[in-house]
Amino acid sequence: MEIAVIGAGPVGLMLAAELRLGGAEVVVFDRRAAPDERPRANGLVGRIVEQLDHRGLLERFRAEAAFTGPFPGLPFGPVPVTTPVPGLMLQQPRMEALLTGRARELGAEIRRGHELVALDTVRGPDGEYRLDARYVVGCDGARSRVRELAGIGFPGTTDGELMRLGHFRGDLPLFGSGLARGWNRRPGGRVLVTSLAPGVVVAGVREMAPEPAGEPTLAEFRAAIRRVLGEDLPLGEPLWLSRTVSSARLAERYRAGRVFLAGDAAHLFPAGGSSLNVGLLDAVNLGWKLAAVVRGSAPESLLDSYHAERHPVAARTLTQTRVQALLDRQTGEDGDALRTLFGELAAFPDASRHLGELLRDADELPYVTDLPLTVDGEPTRVAEIMRAARTVLFDFADRADLRDAAGPDVKIVTASCPDAPADALLVRPDGVVTFSGDDPASLREALAAPGR
Ligand SMILES: Cc1cc2nc3c(=O)[nH]c(=O)nc-3n(C[C@H](O)[C@H](O)[C@H](O)COP(=O)(O)OP(=O)(O)OC[C@H]3O[C@@H](n4cnc5c(N)ncnc54)[C@H](O)[C@@H]3O)c2cc1C
């Protein structure tokens, strides 16, 4: 087997599809016998939305999403950011169903009910068997077994604040207590009331408290609401209850020999909204590189650029989400002062743009923008050309010398573009621009560079 992906969560499924597009054989293993139907994320925010467009997946997501388009006023902790950020609203189980369909369509094998128990052993319904894979990628979530087996440290902090969330049958508005839709701050914590679908109320409560053992219960949820609010909420029948403690953690390394980490296995952020963006983009960065190496069209050293490129993105996201969590969590007059001044600063246009960029993507690599192109007389978009997940040379000046320098592995697109930034652009399958210019020797250098 060329590549074993451990975990059929969103990140493992995205990676499987990217690997298949790159021409690699992949088997995905998940210990759950059936997909995880718990709601969890309500949508996607950030550059992953553009990346879905680069893979022709955005239309499928859009068709089911309650909202698609730039989110105005996205919260940075408790402070709204006026710079719009791309996003879409779709429940995580639906995202996973769409990604499963895509991975299967492209030929990925998904084995459910198969748990990785050692780096070379899987336990399936008929017992243990040997896993003989050239590369193993741990997309196995926060408590990653792959991370543990590879001996990769996961330093950071775990919060003392417990969050209980639930979906309940009923309609808004239901509530007294001066509650507004969204998170409501009280001296002892915060209470959420909102609705994302008719007939379903989403309620939550955050307080500083130790995590109890066992499954979350309705009695425990109600008691927490009473402690924070000083009274009960008239909530209907619970459809789903969860209890989470947020953590701020980052794997020391994303690679240990033939083992890689991606998604929650590699990073946990203490504020919502960024985990799927960063995790799915890990998969897009790693997929084409692993596929190129197993196909023999790139050297092993290309794989080191995965940690070099993605670890700093998660580190920066950790910084911004720690600040969001702190802004949210700080209580009393100190907290009010912090939020007031941060809100004033965030309203300056440059500050708002900076926060918007952090929420969109804390990545500093240069990504191709969706330039309007004409190819063979037909109008098209960069996103459509990137669907094959190949490295592309966009030749905007009909330059045979640049086309010759690109070599056989590169897809050549001769296009006219009124906004072309240079004679040619070389774009990796994940959208990173590695060359922008007119000199064939520099193009050859870009193609030979470690992170080409
Ligand atoms: C209540 C809640 C709300 C959230 N809201 C948001 C949000 O709004 N926005 C956002 O971006 N994120 C949100 N998240 C976080 C988001 O759900 C995760 O970031 C995302 O699920 C991570 O995807 P993943 O594929 O890395 O890991 P997971 O989704 O955790 O998938 C890991 C998979 O690995 C499998 N697995 C584990 N161990 C093994 C093993 N040994 N062998 C085989 N399989 C194994 C598991 O069964 C699982 O299917 C939320 C999470 C929760 C709990």
Side-chain angles (χ1 to χ4, degrees):
M1 183 185 305
E2 287 178 343
I3 298 164
V5 171
I6 312 305
V11 175
L13 294 165
M14 184 81 190
L15 178 62
E18 291 291 303
L19 288 165
R20 288 301 303 140
L21 282 171
E25 273 175 32
V26 55
V27 181
V28 183
F29 299 85
D30 200 295
R31 65 180 173 202
R32 298 180 73 95
D36 190 348
E37 293 298 333
R38 292 172 303 154
R40 295 159 294 148
N42 295 316
L44 295 175
V45 172
R47 195 166 55 75
I48 186 59
V49 176
E50 288 150 28
Q51 195 60 52
L52 291 176
D53 192 18
H54 279 209
R55 293 296 182 261
L57 280 170
L58 187 56
E59 286 314 310
R60 297 187 198 185
F61 275 65
R62 240 189 214 143
E64 296 198 21
F67 171 85
T68 318
F71 279 116
L74 202 69
F76 188 89
V79 174
V81 173
T82 46
T83 299
V85 182
L88 61 85
M89 287 190 69
L90 183 63
Q91 296 281 305
Q92 188 164 336
R94 285 309 307 153
M95 292 185 211
E96 292 184 15
L98 291 171
L99 292 171
T100 301
R102 167 74 166 172
R104 287 213 164 108
E105 244 167 70
L106 291 168
E109 181 185 342
I110 301 173
R111 290 188 200 164
R112 292 200 171 275
H114 292 247
E115 178 176 7
L116 183 92
V117 291
L119 282 177
D120 61 359
T121 313
V122 169
R123 187 183 300 132
D126 302 324
E128 288 187 0
Y129 61 95
R130 196 175 152 72
L131 175 67
D132 195 9
R134 184 165 162 198
Y135 294 103
V136 175
V137 189
C139 301
D140 50 344
R143 295 197 170 91
S144 171
R145 187 97 173 98
V146 173
R147 189 180 62 227
E148 187 190 311
L149 291 165
I152 299 176
F154 201 38
T157 51
T158 292
D159 218 353
E161 193 182 62
L162 192 62
M163 177 170 78
R164 295 181 169 89
L165 266 185
H167 287 194
F168 300 85
R169 234 181 263 292
D171 284 304
L172 287 178
L174 289 169
F175 309 113
S177 309
L179 287 177
R181 190 172 174 137
W183 283 101
N184 295 261
R185 197 173 295 284
R186 293 292 183 271
R190 279 162 286 150
V191 169
L192 169 77
V193 281
T194 190
S195 177
L196 300 169
V200 180
V201 169
V202 179
V205 53
R206 289 171 182 260
E207 56 172 349
M208 296 303 281
E211 192 174 5
E215 290 297 308
T217 65
L218 181 59
E220 163 201 326
F221 191 94
R222 284 188 191 285
I225 293 269
R226 214 175 303 121
R227 275 194 299 276
V228 174
L229 214 53
E231 61 180 299
D232 288 327
L233 275 186
L235 293 166
E237 179 203 345
L239 303 167
W240 168 69
L241 291 170
S242 80
R243 193 171 54 207
T244 48
V245 178
S246 64
S247 290
R249 295 189 178 273
L250 177 57
E252 283 165 349
R253 295 173 286 154
Y254 278 17
R255 177 181 188 189
R258 63 185 190 95
V259 178
F260 295 82
L261 299 177
D264 277 16
H267 41 70
L268 291 175
F269 304 124
S274 295
S275 305
L276 279 173
N277 187 36
V278 177
L280 293 169
L281 290 171
D282 291 343
V284 175
N285 184 288
L286 180 60
W288 71 272
K289 292 176 181 174
L290 269 177
V293 170
V294 299
R295 271 195 341 257
S297 63
E300 259 271 321
S301 57
L302 175 64
L303 299 176
D304 289 330
S305 68
Y306 172 60
H307 171 96
E309 292 177 355
R310 294 305 298 169
H311 195 268
V313 173
R316 221 161 142 58
T317 306
L318 200 53
T319 301
Q320 65 93 345
T321 50
R322 276 186 187 278
V323 173
Q324 290 195 56
L326 178 68
L327 283 166
D328 248 335
R329 198 190 310 129
Q330 186 70 41
T331 55
E333 291 173 34
D334 286 350
D336 293 341
L338 184 67
R339 284 181 285 279
T340 301
L341 189 61
F342 192 91
E344 285 168 15
L345 292 174
F348 286 106
D350 280 355
S352 163
R353 201 170 312 119
H354 183 64
L355 293 175
E357 276 163 16
L358 285 175
L359 290 174
R360 179 176 183 278
D361 186 358
D363 194 341
E364 289 175 356
L365 291 174
Y367 285 87
V368 67
T369 52
D370 205 7
L371 301 163
L373 308 176
T374 306
V375 178
D376 297 331
E378 294 291 325
T380 184
R381 296 187 306 129
V382 168
E384 286 169 38
I385 289 169
M386 297 311 296
R387 288 192 178 157
R390 300 260 316 268
T391 296
V392 180
L393 181 80
F394 289 93
D395 170 13
F396 298 123
D398 200 7
R399 293 274 308 267
D401 55 342
L402 288 170
R403 294 197 296 271
D404 290 346
D409 283 340
V410 175
K411 175 181 162 99
I412 310 275
V413 174
T414 302
S416 65
C417 173
D419 305 328
D423 277 5
L425 289 183
L426 185 70
V427 182
R428 298 188 329 197
D430 57 0
V432 174
V433 177
T434 53
F435 167 84
S436 171
D438 56 11
D439 173 26
S442 308
L443 173 60
R444 278 191 209 96
E445 265 172 42
L447 278 162
R452 72 259 170 72

